[in-house]
Amino acid sequence: MGLLTALEGGYGDRGDAVVMDGRSSSWEGLLGAAGAVAERAAGATALAVLARPTLETVAAVVGGLLAGVPVVPLPPDSGPKERAHILRDSGAALLAVGGEDADTDPTEAGAGIGLLPVDLAARAGAAAPAAAEPTPDTTAFVLYTSGTTGAPKGAVIPHAAVAADLDALADAWQWTAEDTLVHGLPLFHVHGLVLGVLGALRTGSRLVHTGRPTPGGYAGARGSLYFGVPTVWSRLAADHGAARELGAARLLVSGSAPLPVPVFEQLTALTGRAPIERYGMTESLITVSTRADGERRPGSVGLPLAGVRTRLVGEDGGAVPHDGESVGELQVAGETLFRGYLNRPDADAEAWTADGWFRTGDVAVIGPDGFHRIVGRASVDLIKSGGYRIGAGEVEAALRDHPAVADAAVVGAPDGDLGQVVVAYVMADGPVTGEQLTAFVAERLSVHKRPRRVVLVPELPRNAMGKVLKKQLLDLG
Ligand code: MLC
Ligand code: AMP
């Protein structure tokens, strides 16, 4: 049996598997459409999927996985610069598109890339040879994620890591086929796609995707298990009526960024349910979580999942005690880890320790009871806004492409709604407005990477080495 045990294992008589974009698909229908994709994709180097939140996207992703072809989700709002990088770097031979994108001009996909229109009514041909079962070591995904500098890096994630992570989460959250999972997260990241789609198809729980993660959408969906990023939970906590509706749910799960303690408390008061908080990364999948049957402590992400090991390392490379006070860089090891970055031996060399642990770049504290608290990031150049990871360097490079920009420095400023917002400090040498620069970035990269605020400055503060002093910029406001 492959990765999607419930889907492949005959849940065909249990009604709707997935409700998304106002339509629904049975387990059998989804498997049929995915089988047709698998038939077309078999043998391809990689299958890129234009990842709108639609049933076609789900069928395309499942089809790629069934065929043992690496799936490369493409953010639907990514501009030409980001899209060209992902398609070129991943070596994708095919781009799966659904419904509204089916008549995309093939030249738009890029030279040598074929379009694979996804048809939900399609079924694999009767004569189709059964696809050889992908081995655990087969690449499931190449997920593009931002580093501090440069273009996004492709994290290579094997089937075995996804399976191990979903099973560990099912154990921690008592997640079963009896659940109805609800979320409205994007389908091109770990949270919305790996947990939010494959988790349902592996456990056999029904999935209701709300399109966008709005309080009203969540309240109306009547699920037992809800996923959200902290921005979603803080917007929900501000809508008392919607929040109370979620009191009927079994588990509310927050992740992708720190859940502020006041939001944890408001949510608990309004729903009668203390949220589960869990921690993860694209590269490691989810590694630490509180448990359905355990304590849920505000400000804490809980304990390592089954199969995951964690440790804290100090700046001198020495072990940091798990005393609930000492901070160190969090390093992780275990079955859920990615294999490395595609085409980036330099990034691999930085990310892995000599003894095989992955450096998360997050700074944490571990208590004597094993509970983990994430206290920040080692670099100011990785920004988390609305749960999206945004590299300051990539936004700076996009700004510098503008003819009126002499130089730019990007920081993440604290924000009550999004956690952090992207703020750009720009030295201009021509006439340009902040709105124009925001639109310029939104057109080239994914829309969520656009600066929400642009400050035109005569000079950027620098140290003696010429390095921009980002902490000083943050103090400027
Ligand atoms: C706005 N829009 C623009 C624009 N400005 N379009 C073009 N140009 C501009 N200048 C449009 C957008 O396309 C969008 O359209 C709409 O305006 C609103 O977009 P937004 O302003 O970006 O929405 P916002 O309210 O900021 O979104 C908040 C949010 C979102 C919470 C809904 O940030 C979100 O979905 N976050 C989830 C991130 C996530 O899943 N992270 C997981 C990473 S995995 P339209 O048409 O779309 O409405 C990970 C591992 C782990 O971290 O641990 O989980
Ligand atoms: P991404 O690669 O988009 O998956 O982002 C991973 C990063 O999100 C981590 O390195 C953390 O900085 C952050 N993150 C994820 N979950 C949490 C959490 N529960 N608390 C704090 N930070 C988190």
Side-chain angles (χ1 to χ4, degrees), residues 27-428:
W27 296 87
E28 212 176 1
L30 184 56
L31 199 52
V37 171
E39 213 173 275
R40 292 273 315 273
T45 43
L47 171 68
V49 177
L50 189 61
R52 295 190 199 284
T54 62
L55 292 174
E56 283 86 356
T57 294
V58 176
V61 169
V62 172
L65 295 173
L66 292 176
V69 171
V71 174
V72 184
L74 202 56
D77 67 350
S78 57
K81 186 171 172 156
E82 188 170 333
R83 187 171 294 203
H85 166 71
I86 294 175
L87 291 173
R88 193 177 338 106
D89 188 65
S90 66
L94 288 169
L95 173 64
V97 292
E100 61 180 292
D101 304 302
D103 53 3
T104 301
D105 178 352
T107 55
E108 247 183 66
I113 298 176
L115 279 188
L116 194 167
V118 181
D119 177 6
L120 289 178
R123 298 291 174 266
E133 184 134 317
T135 64
D137 200 38
T138 304
T139 299
F141 292 105
V142 181
L143 290 182
Y144 279 80
T145 189
S146 296
T148 52
T149 58
K153 299 172 283 187
V156 178
I157 297 168
H159 278 240
V162 176
D165 205 49
L166 294 177
D167 289 349
L169 290 174
D171 169 61
W173 300 343
Q174 300 178 349
W175 184 1
T176 70
E178 299 305 310
D179 280 306
T180 291
L181 170 64
V182 176
H183 71 89
L185 298 168
L187 300 193
F188 45 88
H189 283 310
V190 163
H191 200 163
L193 180 61
V194 178
L195 273 60
V197 173
L198 303 191
L201 301 181
R202 188 167 172 90
T203 56
S205 52
R206 186 169 168 263
L207 166 64
V208 178
H209 190 279
T210 59
R212 289 188 71 82
T214 57
Y218 275 36
R222 315 227 163 269
S224 62
L225 175 60
Y226 283 81
F227 292 168
V229 296
T231 301
V232 170
W233 294 121
S234 83
R235 290 179 185 179
L236 198 103
D239 183 335
H240 291 190
R244 284 201 188 90
E245 293 286 326
L246 265 58
R250 184 176 72 77
L251 224 53
L252 313 178
V253 184
S254 180
S256 305
L259 182 69
V261 169
V263 177
F264 180 105
E265 283 164 353
Q266 287 154 13
L267 213 51
T268 307
L270 288 163
T271 63
R273 302 269 173 277
I276 289 275
E277 203 179 347
R278 96 294 179 289
Y279 161 84
M281 286 185 81
T282 304
E283 292 89 336
S284 65
L285 305 181
I286 308 311
T287 47
V288 184
S289 181
T290 51
R291 300 181 57 89
D293 59 1
E295 185 192 351
R296 302 174 204 172
R297 196 180 295 168
S300 170
V301 292
L303 303 164
L305 294 174
V308 172
R309 287 168 293 141
T310 60
R311 69 183 184 190
L312 293 179
V313 176
E315 274 173 19
D316 59 357
V320 169
H322 297 183
D323 57 10
E325 282 173 20
S326 306
V327 295
E329 185 198 28
L330 182 65
Q331 298 186 350
V332 295
E335 298 167 25
T336 68
L337 260 71
F338 75 139
R339 233 188 279 121
Y341 298 109
L342 194 66
N343 308 324
R344 292 294 304 273
D346 57 321
D348 279 333
E350 266 179 48
W352 299 95
T353 66
D355 57 349
W357 290 66
F358 176 69
R359 300 181 216 266
T360 64
D362 289 305
V363 177
V365 168
I366 303 178
D369 55 2
F371 266 59
H372 289 50
R373 211 153 44 80
I374 308 296
V375 297
R377 278 207 68 88
S379 169
V380 291
D381 287 329
L382 269 192
I383 299 165
K384 266 272 156 163
S385 186
Y388 284 116
R389 173 165 151 188
I390 300 167
E394 189 188 8
V395 183
E396 287 160 0
L399 285 164
R400 285 192 203 105
D401 283 345
H402 192 284
V405 172
D407 205 355
V410 163
V411 296
D415 182 75
D417 180 43
L418 294 172
Q420 288 184 303
V421 285
V422 176
V423 181
Y425 292 85
V426 173
M427 280 168 64

